[in-house]
């Protein structure tokens, strides 16, 4: 079984910064892709940023230049540095990992429980 644990959410004023962390644990052979998604009330869950095991990154247009995704492969941990935050960034942020199971070598997708980010104007 694999668990993803997120941390680092909170309340910040517009223009401020937050750093989210997501750590994967359990029976893991490789963590292939890690990503951050967000979901605001009444909206669908959208991709924010993703990073491969070779550090290729992808960003949603709305966060380019403000958010930076990174990872520490030795710790199976991904980070999302969020700068110049805007009220429209307010959402629950979820971590997602595509990984190779250490138990049966199958490719699996796991989600974290989510962490609230609130940006006040």
């Amino acid at each position: 079984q694999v668990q993803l644990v997120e941390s680092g959410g909170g309340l910040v004023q517009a223009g401020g910064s937050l750093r989210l962390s997501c750590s994967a644990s359990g029976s893991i052979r490789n963590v292939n892709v890690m990503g951050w998604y967000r979901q605001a009330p009444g909206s669908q869950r959208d991709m924010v940023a993703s990073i491969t095991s070779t550090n290729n990154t992808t960003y949603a247009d709305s966060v380019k230049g403000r958010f930076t995704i990174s990872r520490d492969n030795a710790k199976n941990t991904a980070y999302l540095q969020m700068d110049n935050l805007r009220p429209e960034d307010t959402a629950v942020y979820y971590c997602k990992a595509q990984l190779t199971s250490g138990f049966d070598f199958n490719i699996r997708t796991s989600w974290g429980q989510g962490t609230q980010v609130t940006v006040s104007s």
Side-chain angles (χ1 to χ4, degrees):
Q1 189 174 356
V2 175
Q3 281 190 322
L4 297 182
V5 177
E6 300 126 331
S7 62
L11 173 64
V12 65
Q13 288 187 332
S17 298
L18 285 173
R19 188 190 195 212
L20 306 182
S21 298
C22 171
S23 294
S25 62
S27 182
I28 300 170
R29 179 177 176 82
N30 290 307
V31 181
N32 305 319
V33 182
M34 299 190 80
W36 290 95
Y37 290 69
R38 67 186 181 187
Q39 188 169 20
S43 299
Q44 65 182 18
R45 190 175 296 186
D46 294 323
M47 193 276 288
V48 175
S50 67
I51 184 168
T52 69
S53 57
T54 55
N55 290 325
N56 289 318
T57 57
T58 303
Y59 294 94
D61 288 343
S62 59
V63 306
K64 284 181 180 177
R66 300 188 297 122
F67 291 11
T68 303
I69 189 170
S70 60
R71 63 187 285 172
D72 184 335
N73 290 332
K75 296 181 180 179
N76 287 335
T77 298
Y79 307 95
L80 186 67
Q81 177 66 41
M82 304 185 294
D83 298 318
N84 192 19
L85 282 159
R86 304 167 180 169
E88 53 264 39
D89 295 318
T90 296
V92 178
Y93 283 70
Y94 296 90
C95 177
K96 176 184 176 182
Q98 182 197 75
L99 52 90
T100 303
S101 169
F103 175 70
D104 55 16
F105 292 8
N106 286 337
I107 304 296
R108 302 187 188 280
T109 298
S110 294
W111 288 90
Q113 80 285 356
T115 185
Q116 177 70 46
V117 171
T118 302
V119 185
S120 63
S121 57

